[in-house]
Amino acid sequence: MSAGIATGDVVWTPPADVLTTTRVGLFVSWLREHRGVDVGDHESLWRWSVTDLEGFWSAVWDFFEVTEHGRRTGVLVDRAMPGARWFPGSLLNYAEHAVRGAGADDRTVAVHARSQTRPDMELTWGDLRDQVARARRVLADLGVGAGDRVAGYLPNTPEALVAFLAAAGLGAVWTTCAVEFGPRSVVDRFGQVEPVVLLVAGGYRYGGKDVDRRTEIEAIRTALPSVRHVIDIEYGEWRVPGSLSWPALLGAADGGGPDVVPVPFDHPLFVVFSSGTTGRPKAIVHGHGGILLEHLKNHALSWDLGPGDTLLWYTTTAWMMWNALASALLVGCAVVTIDGDPASPDLGWQWRLAEETGATMMGASPGFVMACRSAGLDLSGLDLRLRTIGSAGAPLPPEGYAWINDQLGPRVHLNVGSGGTDVCSGIVQNNRLLPVRAGMISGRALAVDAHAFDEEGREVIGVPGELVITAPMPSMPVGLWGDVDGSRLRETYFAHYPGIWRHGDWIVFHSDGSCVVTGRSDATLNRGGVRLGTAEFYRVVEELPEVADSLVVHLEDPAGGNGELLLFVVPRAPARLDDELVGTIRVALRTALSPRHVPDRMVEVPAVPRNLTGKKLELPVKRIMQGADPGEVVSRDALADPDALDAFVRLRQAEQVAR
């Protein structure tokens, strides 16, 4: 299968019985019976979903039996972006639906927890419901109410899931950071939302290494005066001084309540953060109703998940995929929470875990897939129940599609998509009504009116353009935290094309709706599932007195490895980039951000290239280091210092000669 495979080759086709054996097929039948809507393929279903937004989203509401406590007066009152108003008058709660689990039986497993810090464990749906009820009591007794913020500095564990659902049940607002983030990264995020309760893990084990985070927790607590209570989940051997005990609080709590609080459709559910590429991370606010409906649609109609399924997707709590993992509960699907090194003891570990937990869908990043392929991993000896492999976060080469097909066979559907934190879902992705084409994303997500625009706002087909969304989605942000007048939201998403969402990706759409995402206009660093922006990087490096300026780029490895993280440093005279300064920078980055963001190589340069407005030109430098012609990358007329690129060009030329 791998030999000769090319972009666009079909590697999977919908089976003949797709309309009777899949969740999206059942939805199509339901539409015909209950709404008189006759659509038999993805194109007609997508076309109807974006043409009749009110009809589509009210159908999702009714098909999934959303519990309504209010009295909604409409579906989409105002289509303007920003400012679209969904389901006015409705009262609901995301957590009520997640804990209900589409009616899952108390005795069935809801959470498979796997960790390198403590023994494996499971929670049944009965356990989950009991713990969430007790946790609601704990938080309420600590004074947490609707609108208060509850934060987790936590690994991906059941405690994080329980705390999130408990906070949401009270109408409080949840937010989280991965426990490997340094204090500055955490405070830059949590400081914006001012949490009143902070849940923490005092340490963790990553592979074979013990990591104590108690010093970092103390620094975070000191920098967040809003925090009234710090709660230690008592993970592993580390105990946080001066904190409350989560196990003790749950054990003493009344499992009978308080009741879930119904909230308006756009009431804040959680805050997720952008990478911080162009400044302080944006605090993106998502609402109960928008996330509930969007994830019901995505998880069932695209991912084909429902009762009896299990979702395994390695993620840290810093990535929106953690929120998406939690939402599998909405459709009655069990989840696997994983904490630790995803490649320890070897690349086959996650596949063996999929076998052990009976996972029916597994997330496999493009880097992970290509690394497994390069390592010659053979999955033939495993008894896997997998029906779907999900992949996101970067483009997957055609060879990755072929490897999945070779290893898992035509029965397994490869669902590659692209979306983001901003909508907390997919914008373009596969579903089982679409063929799978190597190296491509099969189509647009349902009810997402996505297109490629040129600079003048004209739709383009077959050539790269800006990814835009021309009609509202329920899961577009309620707002950005602290952006009282909405000006930052408008500037972020709607300034370039007024009234139209500009996502920030470059994409090529083809006439059949299939597409290829070719990159982003920012320079987000992404290694090992931890996403941090370059602006955060610079705030650490350039505070050092020996550093005048810096620029960082990540050169991806086509074979699926970590790639190479390059830091270019302009020393402050009389300093030089000697071994001592290299060591100082490494320690600063490891401490403030994460070990995965320590550069592989540092190079001294005389100047950092900037445009005329002072913006660092990371992408042109990256492309030069990847071998692009400097004259095609950027016009020297656009540079504040036309000679600033010379050092990078010479370095690349020297490397090519050395090879």
Side-chain angles (χ1 to χ4, degrees):
M1 178 71 187
S2 299
I5 191 169
T7 297
D9 288 352
V10 175
V11 297
W12 183 93
T13 55
D17 60 356
V18 66
L19 290 176
T20 59
T21 59
T22 63
R23 301 298 300 279
V24 68
L26 294 177
F27 181 66
V28 166
S29 298
W30 185 93
L31 287 174
R32 185 179 301 112
E33 178 181 353
H34 294 275
R35 296 298 171 88
V37 175
D38 192 5
V39 289
D41 56 22
H42 171 81
E43 176 61 24
S44 59
L45 178 58
W46 175 80
R47 186 72 58 189
W48 171 73
S49 74
V50 297
T51 303
D52 185 2
L53 289 174
E54 293 87 347
F56 177 83
W57 287 111
S58 65
V60 169
W61 183 294
D62 293 342
F63 180 74
F64 291 103
E65 300 180 346
V66 171
T67 299
E68 161 76 277
H69 296 280
R71 185 172 297 175
R72 60 185 171 99
T73 58
V75 177
L76 179 56
V77 174
D78 188 347
R79 295 172 67 101
M81 294 193 295
R85 292 178 56 229
W86 292 94
F87 294 95
S90 64
L91 293 173
L92 45 70
N93 193 291
Y94 167 99
E96 179 180 16
H97 295 81
V99 172
R100 184 172 68 198
D105 184 87
D106 272 352
R107 295 165 295 180
T108 305
V109 173
V111 182
H112 301 268
R114 297 297 183 267
S115 165
Q116 292 164 3
T117 302
R118 67 183 178 193
D120 299 343
M121 59 182 291
E122 274 80 33
L123 296 181
T124 65
W125 282 95
D127 296 332
L128 180 65
R129 289 162 182 149
D130 177 66
Q131 288 197 22
V132 171
R134 289 175 182 273
R136 284 201 307 272
R137 170 57 62 197
V138 167
L139 293 177
D141 287 349
L142 293 175
V144 174
D148 287 332
R149 277 76 65 203
V150 177
Y153 183 49
L154 295 171
N156 183 10
T157 62
E159 290 89 345
L161 188 61
V162 167
F164 161 49
L165 295 176
L170 295 173
V173 185
W174 174 256
T175 190
T176 187
C177 280
V179 72
E180 63 238 52
F181 278 15
R184 172 168 300 192
S185 293
V186 176
V187 174
D188 280 351
R189 291 162 168 78
F190 289 170
Q192 297 183 60
V193 301
E194 299 179 309
V196 297
V197 171
L198 176 64
L199 285 93
V200 299
Y204 60 94
R205 179 167 295 160
Y206 190 83
K209 181 180 179 182
D210 288 343
V211 183
D212 188 334
R213 302 305 280 170
R214 288 174 290 190
T215 300
E216 288 77 8
I217 289 169
E218 183 57 35
I220 293 165
R221 182 190 341 215
T222 300
L224 296 175
S226 62
V227 172
R228 300 196 297 261
H229 305 283
V230 175
I231 305 177
D232 183 2
I233 69 167
E234 299 189 356
Y235 190 54
E237 64 191 46
W238 301 272
R239 295 296 173 267
V240 178
S243 62
L244 302 172
S245 164
W246 184 247
L249 290 170
L250 284 189
D254 176 5
D259 292 337
V260 168
V261 178
V263 294
F265 189 89
D266 61 355
H267 184 83
L269 170 63
F270 52 67
V271 175
V272 289
F273 296 94
S274 68
S275 61
T277 297
T278 57
R280 188 170 66 160
K282 294 188 296 292
I284 302 168
V285 184
H286 286 293
H288 276 251
I291 292 300
L292 172 62
L293 291 188
E294 175 61 32
H295 285 181
L296 285 170
K297 177 210 77 174
N298 178 80
H299 289 42
L301 305 186
S302 176
W303 291 355
D304 197 39
L305 294 175
D309 285 315
T310 299
L311 173 61
L312 185 159
W313 198 310
Y314 178 87
T315 177
T316 71
T317 57
W319 189 20
M320 60 138 285
M321 281 311 308
W322 183 86
N323 305 81
L325 178 71
S327 284
L329 300 172
L330 295 171
V331 296
C333 174
V335 300
V336 184
T337 63
I338 307 171
D339 175 47
D341 183 345
S344 176
D346 54 67
L347 284 170
W349 173 69
Q350 285 193 59
W351 299 102
R352 295 193 297 274
L353 182 56
E355 177 186 40
E356 175 189 327
T357 58
T360 53
M361 178 174 180
M362 175 176 167
S365 71
F368 178 70
V369 171
M370 297 304 289
C372 291
R373 176 180 177 272
S374 296
L377 200 64
D378 182 3
L379 306 181
S380 61
L382 298 178
D383 182 17
L384 295 167
R385 292 183 58 213
L386 291 169
R387 294 197 323 273
T388 306
I389 295 294
S391 194
L396 179 64
E399 294 80 5
Y401 287 70
W403 185 82
I404 291 291
N405 194 283
D406 288 345
Q407 291 293 320
L408 300 177
R411 185 180 65 86
V412 174
H413 180 244
L414 178 55
N415 191 325
V416 178
S418 181
T421 302
D422 314 80
V423 296
C424 207
S425 189
I427 294 173
V428 289
Q429 63 186 58
N430 296 358
N431 67 51
R432 288 179 180 265
L433 298 179
L434 286 165
V436 177
R437 299 180 183 276
M440 303 179 71
I441 296 172
S442 294
R444 300 167 171 91
L446 294 176
V448 183
D449 206 357
H451 304 272
F453 274 15
D454 66 14
E455 189 65 23
E456 285 72 41
R458 298 172 300 215
E459 184 173 11
V460 292
I461 300 291
V463 296
E466 287 277 2
L467 175 59
V468 300
I469 305 172
T470 59
M473 294 172 59
S475 68
M476 284 176 174
V478 172
L480 303 180
W481 197 272
D483 182 28
V484 177
D485 63 359
S487 58
R488 194 178 182 206
L489 180 76
R490 290 191 296 273
E491 179 185 353
T492 300
Y493 303 110
F494 301 102
H496 197 78
Y497 306 111
I500 292 174
W501 174 286
R502 175 178 177 259
H503 193 65
D505 282 343
W506 280 97
I507 191 168
V508 179
F509 274 109
H510 299 283
S511 57
D512 63 355
S514 62
C515 57
V516 176
V517 177
T518 60
R520 285 192 61 82
S521 56
D522 60 24
T524 300
L525 306 175
N526 179 4
R527 300 225 301 181
V530 177
R531 286 162 161 71
L532 288 176
T534 56
E536 293 183 290
F537 205 103
Y538 300 140
R539 285 200 295 273
V540 173
V541 174
E542 292 168 17
E543 273 196 4
L544 298 173
E546 302 93 341
V547 176
D549 207 353
S550 65
L551 184 142
V552 62
V553 297
H554 181 216
L555 307 181
E556 292 85 359
D557 179 4
N562 275 339
E564 185 176 31
L565 193 63
L566 287 177
L567 177 64
F568 300 98
V569 177
V570 181
R572 193 182 308 277
R576 299 302 303 269
L577 187 63
D578 54 17
D579 290 345
E580 182 178 357
L581 181 53
V582 167
T584 299
I585 293 171
R586 288 181 179 277
V587 170
L589 287 168
R590 181 181 293 110
T591 302
L593 299 180
S594 82
R596 303 179 197 180
H597 287 76
V598 175
D600 299 301
R601 186 157 51 112
M602 300 187 206
V603 179
E604 181 174 332
V605 292
V608 166
R610 298 174 182 268
N611 64 15
L612 296 175
T613 64
K615 182 179 179 181
K616 298 182 185 187
L617 300 179
E618 292 113 339
L619 291 181
V621 168
K622 177 177 177 176
R623 292 187 61 195
I624 288 170
M625 296 308 298
Q626 291 173 325
D629 181 350
E632 296 178 359
V633 167
V634 64
S635 169
R636 288 182 180 263
D637 293 339
L639 299 180
D641 176 4
D643 298 326
L645 282 178
D646 292 346
F648 301 90
V649 174
R650 288 194 298 269
L651 176 63
R652 176 60 183 173
Q653 290 171 341
E655 290 181 345
Q656 290 175 323
V657 169
R659 290 174 184 171

